[in-house]
Amino acid sequence: MRPQVVGAILRSRVIVNRQPLSRTRLCAAVTVAKSSSSSVQNSRRTFSSSLPRLHEPKAKITAEGLELSPPQAITDGKRTVLPNFWLRDNCRCTQCVNQDTLQRNFNTFAIPSDIHPTKVETTKENVTVQWSDNHTSTYPWPFLTSYLNTNTRFGHTENDQISLWGREIRSRPPTVSFSRVMGSSPDDLRGVADLTAMIKEFGFCFVKDTPHADPDVTRQLLERIAFIRVTHYGGFYDFTPDLAMADTAYTNLALPAHTDTTYFTEPAGLQAFHLLEHRAAPSSSPGTGSSENEGGEAAEGGKSLLVDGFNAARILESEDPKAYEILSTVRLPWHASGNAGITIAPDRMYPVLELDEDTGELHRVRWNNDDRGVVPFGEKFTPEEWYEAARKWDDILRRKSSELWVQLEPGKPLIFDNWRVLHGRSAFSGIRRICGGYINHDDFISRWRNTNYPRSEVLPRVTG
């Protein structure tokens, strides 16, 4: 069973079905955890919902295009006519689409601009059109109905459930076993489905019973999800607090809740930490020639901090709507400039809270005060107003009710969504050895889709 996520301020239920998780709904509630992921081989998740009562479908040729009356009744549709050229361009037959690559197989602009139907036939499943260029196209009603109802097919939302959480999740954090993720064979993806579904829902997951004598095993675990992203830090990392890179992550200092790689146009999607060991530092007494630990620093501290950024944003909008507006409006410079020869900045300035331009729902959290540049002067909000909004945000992130503190341990890697979950740590003494890596968000979502849903339902989501 998935963890039960029930907190003092997080009581009710939000489920993202066919409609996007709007800002209002996100700020109103939280889901409790659902049962464990369905396996790839067994009952799949589904994007579909039950259909309305059917009636006789109709299609009529008009000067503007095809006037359509689908078998499923439409009450508040956006249109009743689909244009001819658009329909012809979106023919998905074997001549028009390469069935191996699923890429368009013709030159759109070789289609006559005055293309029009010469004959139309309807069934309860499809509409078949004979075109004036002698081509025949067949369109499934679900495809046509989607564009009669909306401007884009299903938009960018997924039929998934997002569970917001605070410190109460500590009693049963989402966890899957290493053996299940690795599977009985490379093609056994049931555990990968569980892992990606938990990360998608909760924003993080532990993988218990992971071998830790060889860090390469952790690399193999991550690559069950997708390729490891290479940055100026390298690819798969294995480090101790030696300042090998000019970043506070390579020290033993405490780190407040933050997201990584705010300075990339597309920040890292998933991030993983596997504590391989935490040992006392050897004595540094001169002249002893000894490598014993006696007299060195004890291995203490170094707890890891996780904060659900989507939950923190929900609280912020509820308590201070203006602060939420400011942090989702004011765009800031972000940078990585500590290493010689490296000055990385995104393609443009980005706000702390990035909203989907079409739906207004929260899309990504980008927050690392250490990597933030100068707050700009704006027409709508002053720097002083931004600082006050950021102070409120910082307060929410530091509330005990927001913080999940965990002690990482060998054999139990942590993988989390860097677009949603902020992380930090307490200061520590001794030597900690950590391995892990980054994974692109698009690669993660692709793996999640394809291990949790039938391909027949995934394709319409990405092809339209």
Side-chain angles (χ1 to χ4, degrees):
M1 295 292 291
R2 295 283 183 83
Q4 292 296 317
V5 184
V6 182
I9 57 173
L10 308 178
R11 297 289 185 188
S12 53
R13 190 171 177 85
V14 165
I15 298 178
V16 188
N17 290 319
R18 300 190 63 168
Q19 297 301 320
L21 181 63
S22 67
R23 285 172 50 192
T24 303
R25 293 172 64 202
L26 178 59
C27 292
V30 64
T31 61
V32 293
K34 56 189 176 182
S35 60
S36 61
S37 303
S38 302
S39 70
V40 179
Q41 288 82 355
N42 297 323
S43 58
R44 291 273 198 150
R45 293 176 176 85
T46 176
F47 289 122
S48 306
S49 60
S50 58
L51 296 175
R53 188 170 58 185
L54 303 181
H55 63 81
E56 191 65 30
K58 297 177 182 178
K60 178 183 177 182
I61 299 173
T62 72
E64 293 77 24
L66 277 186
E67 184 177 318
L68 299 164
S69 178
Q72 299 85 25
I74 294 178
T75 53
D76 297 314
K78 288 189 173 290
R79 58 192 59 82
T80 59
V81 175
L82 295 177
N84 293 327
F85 196 94
W86 182 90
L87 283 166
R88 178 64 184 86
D89 180 54
N90 286 295
C91 177
R92 308 292 293 177
C93 76
T94 56
Q95 286 181 267
C96 293
V97 174
N98 185 309
Q99 300 303 299
D100 292 324
T101 67
L102 298 183
Q103 292 173 297
R104 190 171 276 106
N105 214 21
F106 63 94
N107 178 6
T108 294
F109 307 103
I111 300 172
S113 59
D114 61 350
I115 190 80
H116 59 275
T118 58
K119 184 180 179 181
V120 179
E121 296 179 350
T122 62
T123 68
K124 289 184 178 179
E125 290 77 33
N126 305 303
V127 174
T128 299
V129 181
Q130 292 184 12
W131 295 102
S132 54
D133 65 354
N134 295 318
H135 187 75
T136 300
S137 303
T138 299
Y139 304 94
W141 274 115
F143 170 80
L144 299 171
T145 303
S146 295
Y147 287 102
L148 294 174
N149 279 321
T150 62
N151 291 330
T152 60
R153 194 177 190 191
F154 304 117
H156 298 290
T157 61
E158 311 278 6
N159 183 17
D160 64 299
Q161 180 174 288
I162 294 177
S163 295
L164 307 181
W165 49 267
R167 67 181 298 187
E168 70 285 342
I169 201 174
R170 70 189 185 280
S171 60
R172 294 187 66 187
T175 304
V176 66
S177 70
F178 173 82
S179 60
R180 182 162 178 81
V181 175
M182 300 310 287
S184 58
S185 70
D187 295 329
D188 180 2
L189 299 176
R190 291 172 295 178
V192 178
D194 289 345
L195 173 61
T196 55
M198 288 185 187
I199 297 172
K200 187 69 169 64
E201 180 177 344
F202 297 104
F204 74 101
C205 186
F206 290 98
V207 184
K208 65 180 182 179
D209 303 325
T210 300
H212 54 88
D214 183 356
D216 194 61
V217 176
T218 304
R219 178 191 61 78
Q220 295 172 39
L221 169 67
L222 297 181
E223 289 181 346
R224 287 289 278 170
I225 302 175
F227 301 106
I228 292 173
R229 177 172 173 174
V230 177
T231 70
H232 58 301
Y233 296 113
F236 182 76
Y237 46 74
D238 180 356
F239 69 94
T240 58
D242 58 2
L243 268 178
M245 297 294 288
D247 191 286
T248 48
Y250 289 78
T251 70
N252 61 357
L253 302 175
L255 298 175
H258 66 282
T259 61
D260 266 22
T261 61
T262 57
Y263 39 76
F264 287 138
T265 301
E266 181 182 297
L270 298 188
Q271 184 168 1
F273 291 130
H274 189 184
L275 176 68
L276 300 176
E277 64 174 338
H278 186 185
R279 57 184 170 82
S283 171
S284 57
S285 300
T288 64
S290 172
S291 60
E292 297 296 321
N293 290 333
E294 184 178 353
E297 286 186 318
E300 297 177 342
K303 275 193 171 183
S304 291
L305 167 66
L306 298 177
V307 177
D308 186 348
F310 280 19
N311 182 42
R314 177 194 70 84
I315 296 170
L316 179 67
E317 186 178 24
S318 176
E319 295 183 0
D320 193 336
K322 182 180 178 181
Y324 184 93
E325 181 186 6
I326 291 171
L327 294 187
S328 60
T329 302
V330 177
R331 298 183 177 188
L332 305 165
W334 308 89
H335 71 101
S337 309
N339 293 280
I342 294 174
T343 51
I344 300 174
D347 62 340
R348 59 183 175 85
M349 296 192 295
Y350 286 91
V352 173
L353 304 176
E354 298 178 48
L355 308 183
D356 186 283
E357 294 181 356
D358 296 323
T359 66
E361 65 179 300
L362 182 60
H363 173 61
R364 178 167 55 206
V365 176
R366 187 186 295 254
W367 177 251
N368 187 337
N369 194 53
D370 296 351
D371 294 337
R372 175 181 55 78
V374 177
V375 179
F377 290 85
E379 304 249 339
K380 188 172 184 180
F381 298 112
T382 65
E384 290 83 358
E385 289 176 301
W386 185 91
Y387 285 120
E388 282 306 307
R391 185 185 302 277
K392 179 71 174 182
W393 169 249
D394 181 72
D395 170 74
I396 293 171
L397 296 179
R398 294 176 187 270
R399 291 179 187 176
K400 297 299 184 185
S401 58
S402 298
E403 296 180 329
L404 170 64
W405 285 96
V406 294
Q407 185 68 64
L408 297 183
E409 57 188 79
K412 196 174 181 180
L414 165 66
I415 306 174
F416 58 93
D417 183 349
N418 183 58
W419 287 17
R420 170 183 171 184
V421 174
L422 296 84
H423 67 283
R425 69 163 185 241
S426 63
F428 65 92
S429 59
I431 297 177
R432 292 199 328 164
R433 183 184 175 193
I434 297 270
C435 71
Y438 296 129
I439 292 174
N440 284 330
H441 203 269
D442 288 345
D443 291 328
F444 155 58
I445 292 298
S446 173
R447 192 63 150 172
W448 166 73
R449 285 194 193 107
N450 285 281
T451 57
N452 283 280
Y453 297 95
R455 188 165 175 80
S456 61
E457 294 189 11
V458 169
L459 287 177
R461 289 268 162 170
V462 298
T463 63

